[in-house]
Amino acid sequence: MDGEKILAGLKTQWLGKFFSHINETTSTNDYAKKLFEEGKLEHGAVIIADRQTAGRGRMERRWHSDGGLCMTVCVRFSGFAPGELISVTLAAGVAVANALRKLCDAPIYVKYPNDIIANGKKLGGILTELKGKEPRMVLLGIGVNVFGESFHEEIADTAVSLRQLGVGSGIDIDIDIDIEMTAIAIINGMEIMMDLFRESGFKAALPLWNDINCTLGNDLTVAFPNGRTIKGTAKEIGEDGALLIDTGEGLRRVTSGDIFQ
């Protein structure tokens, strides 16, 4: 990966001004946490790794980094409550999906709460973590499958890459899209979204999420870590980022758990 190419393509005012390109790490979020603990993590930092040895998503699932973009975007917020973590994740998902849509002109969607979906399969995801006290640092770990033409056995049937979208899919995209182009598009779009979130909160991003989601209106099952499940129809997203599910016995608010649809 060419870090200089990424920096040359940025049109941002503050995001990416502190830029770190590393060959290998456990995960870019882990690397960001280490910098934070050392007092070296700046607002607007972007960390990109060529390879992750222990990348992860929600529910501690492994994220395979081969052929993909592995990046963490770091944003410091004043007056940010831990309960807002879900809403900033949703806003970040909008930024990633829209950036990829513009990059490859393909129908790409967001699935609640943190998946990026194309052709009904997972193209990418976001792992959001919080560090420190007021003002808090939000770590937005972003993974996108860029080059992959085959995947590890456990995700072979559920994952897709940008390259695959352009091969035999009927979607006319530029198959020369590379990791640098993908990173540039996401960083540029993410600064706009984070400025919007800082100014107006999630309510400004909510209509954008509604426009490109593939969750609302679908029947789904939510599995919680304690073994409980609920089933129902996804009705809407609240202004706090909660998913409202019609169970047939009223609306249930969901902000955690594993969602199957």
Side-chain angles (χ1 to χ4, degrees):
M1 187 188 67
D2 186 345
E4 292 300 321
K5 179 179 177 180
I6 294 174
L7 288 172
L10 296 185
K11 300 177 182 178
T12 54
Q13 297 298 311
W14 54 269
L15 189 57
K17 298 308 176 185
F18 177 91
F19 181 86
S20 182
H21 169 214
I22 51 181
N23 293 326
E24 182 176 286
T25 184
T26 52
S27 79
T28 53
N29 271 23
D30 286 347
Y31 190 86
K33 290 176 187 177
K34 181 176 181 293
L35 290 180
F36 181 87
E37 290 162 2
E38 294 172 351
K40 299 177 182 178
L41 189 63
E42 301 288 340
H43 167 64
V46 172
I47 299 161
I48 301 181
D50 292 331
R51 183 173 181 270
Q52 294 184 143
T53 59
R56 64 193 186 280
R58 290 181 71 246
M59 315 296 283
E60 295 300 318
R61 291 190 181 88
R62 183 179 177 188
W63 174 263
H64 299 281
S65 62
D66 296 344
L69 169 66
C70 308
M71 176 169 68
T72 294
V73 168
C74 308
V75 186
R76 194 181 296 279
F77 289 94
S78 296
F80 187 92
E84 294 181 88
L85 208 56
I86 185 64
S87 59
V88 78
T89 301
L90 298 179
V94 172
V96 173
N98 278 333
L100 297 178
R101 281 184 168 211
K102 292 176 182 177
L103 185 66
C104 63
D105 194 26
I108 294 169
Y109 302 94
V110 288
K111 174 188 170 187
Y112 192 90
N114 69 325
D115 288 345
I116 309 299
I117 302 294
N119 283 0
K121 296 184 177 183
K122 186 168 179 175
L123 177 63
I126 299 167
L127 177 65
T128 310
E129 299 181 280
L130 197 59
K131 292 296 292 184
K133 298 179 180 179
E134 177 68 19
R136 299 177 184 273
M137 185 74 81
V138 174
L139 311 180
L140 296 164
I142 300 164
V144 178
N145 300 322
V146 179
F147 292 129
E149 295 183 6
S150 62
F151 294 94
H152 292 267
E153 182 177 352
E154 68 262 35
I155 61 171
D157 295 331
T158 58
V160 70
S161 70
L162 289 175
R163 173 166 289 179
Q164 286 177 318
L165 291 182
V167 179
S169 64
I171 299 173
D172 183 19
I173 72 169
D174 180 0
I175 61 173
D176 291 329
I177 289 171
D178 57 26
I179 288 178
E180 290 88 349
M181 294 167 62
T182 305
I184 291 166
I186 291 174
I187 296 167
N188 285 335
M190 189 65 71
E191 181 177 272
I192 295 170
M193 179 58 68
M194 291 298 104
D195 281 341
L196 182 66
F197 193 94
R198 287 159 68 91
E199 180 179 342
S200 304
F202 180 58
K203 63 182 180 181
L206 179 54
L208 304 176
W209 192 94
N210 286 334
D211 285 344
I212 60 168
N213 87 90
C214 60
T215 297
L216 299 184
N218 290 317
D219 293 334
L220 47 78
T221 299
V222 183
F224 297 99
N226 63 6
R228 291 191 307 112
T229 62
I230 62 171
K231 295 183 179 182
T233 302
K235 301 299 289 185
E236 63 179 304
I237 301 295
E239 288 193 358
D240 62 350
L243 175 62
L244 303 182
I245 299 175
D246 185 353
T247 64
E249 300 177 351
L251 291 178
R252 289 282 303 273
R253 294 178 74 260
V254 171
T255 57
S256 64
D258 216 358
I259 295 175
F260 304 93
Q261 61 182 66

